[in-house]
Amino acid sequence: MAALAPTSCLLYRELCHRELGTPPLSSGGACSSVAICGGGVDSSRPGRGRRARSRGEVKAGPFWQSASRPTSIEMEAIATMEDFDRILAASQEISQVVIVDWMATWCRKCIYLKPKLEKLAAEYHPRVKFYFVDVNKVPQALVKRGNISKMPTIQLWKDGEWKAEVIGGHKAWLVLDEVREMIQKHL
């Protein structure tokens, strides 16, 4: 069945446009527009006519993934001691958990881990707020306040106090699992 009859082709073209939500083409050609409007029947393999997905067609995702929910949330930077104090005071007022990623731009593990933490931030948004501190760009008094000796160090702060930390010197998926456990314990 290499070609469809003209009437079948017109019906198929109309169905194709309804499915894709596009306006019908005005070309009068029989089956040449089937490929344009969204995929046709695979006639190269007899008895195996299956519909090929067109380029513009969208495959539906799982129902639990909402289109409005972001997949990652960019972490905010903490640049000064005043920023840090303000963040801790604000989180204390609403009893919100704060995660602080102490990192450096020269640290490969830190750079690798940051986007993964941003995806984790999307999972816990808005109950947990994620921040990062580049230890080379802040006053050393702030680094001493966090008691940072290794990087990356991911700390959990709640009610203005340090509660727990994970030093991320091992595999990223293990670090993320430890951070999840730390968050679950203090939520």
Side-chain angles (χ1 to χ4, degrees), residues 12-13 31 33 43 65 78 119 133 161 167 174 185:
Y12 184 78
R13 187 182 335 154
C31 288
S33 63
S43 61
Q65 290 180 343
I78 297 174
K119 285 186 179 184
V133 178
E161 297 177 1
I167 297 176
L174 290 171
K185 183 178 177 185

Side-chain angles (χ1 to χ4, degrees), residues 39-71:
V41 174
D42 185 4
S43 61
S44 64
R45 300 174 69 189
R48 297 181 191 236
R50 61 180 198 267
R51 190 179 173 288
R53 196 175 331 139
S54 74
R55 191 165 204 203
E57 191 172 344
V58 177
K59 184 178 178 183
F63 68 91
W64 61 85
Q65 290 180 343
S66 172
S68 63
R69 185 174 182 177
T71 57

Side-chain angles (χ1 to χ4, degrees), residues 9 12-13 16 20 25 31-41 52 54-55:
C9 184
Y12 184 78
R13 187 182 335 154
C16 178
L20 294 176
L25 298 173
C31 288
S32 61
S33 63
V34 172
I36 295 170
C37 68
V41 174
S54 74
R55 191 165 204 203

Side-chain angles (χ1 to χ4, degrees), residues 17-33:
H17 287 297
R18 279 189 202 155
E19 185 178 326
L20 294 176
T22 58
L25 298 173
S26 60
S27 68
C31 288
S32 61
S33 63

Side-chain angles (χ1 to χ4, degrees), residues 29 48 58 62 68 70 80 83 102 131 139-140 144 146 167 183-184:
R48 297 181 191 236
V58 177
S68 63
T80 64
D83 286 348
W102 300 83
Y131 297 92
Q140 288 305 303
K144 286 181 183 175
I167 297 176
I183 292 171
Q184 291 300 325

Side-chain angles (χ1 to χ4, degrees), residues 36-140:
I36 295 170
C37 68
V41 174
D42 185 4
S43 61
S44 64
R45 300 174 69 189
R48 297 181 191 236
R50 61 180 198 267
R51 190 179 173 288
R53 196 175 331 139
S54 74
R55 191 165 204 203
E57 191 172 344
V58 177
K59 184 178 178 183
F63 68 91
W64 61 85
Q65 290 180 343
S66 172
S68 63
R69 185 174 182 177
T71 57
S72 70
I73 296 178
E74 190 173 342
M75 294 191 293
E76 294 180 38
I78 297 174
T80 64
M81 187 75 82
E82 291 78 26
D83 286 348
F84 192 60
D85 290 334
R86 178 183 46 78
I87 288 164
L88 293 180
S91 69
Q92 188 174 5
E93 286 178 14
I94 59 174
S95 189
Q96 184 181 41
V97 173
V98 172
I99 299 291
V100 181
D101 176 23
W102 300 83
M103 49 90 67
T105 54
W106 51 262
C107 170
R108 282 182 27 204
K109 287 216 184 256
C110 302
I111 300 303
Y112 181 74
L113 195 59
K114 189 174 181 245
K116 295 177 182 346
L117 287 171
E118 289 175 341
K119 285 186 179 184
L120 189 65
E123 288 179 32
Y124 288 101
H125 183 74
R127 299 175 295 165
V128 180
K129 191 77 172 164
F130 284 68
Y131 297 92
F132 75 96
V133 178
D134 186 345
V135 297
N136 291 342
K137 294 183 179 179
V138 297
Q140 288 305 303

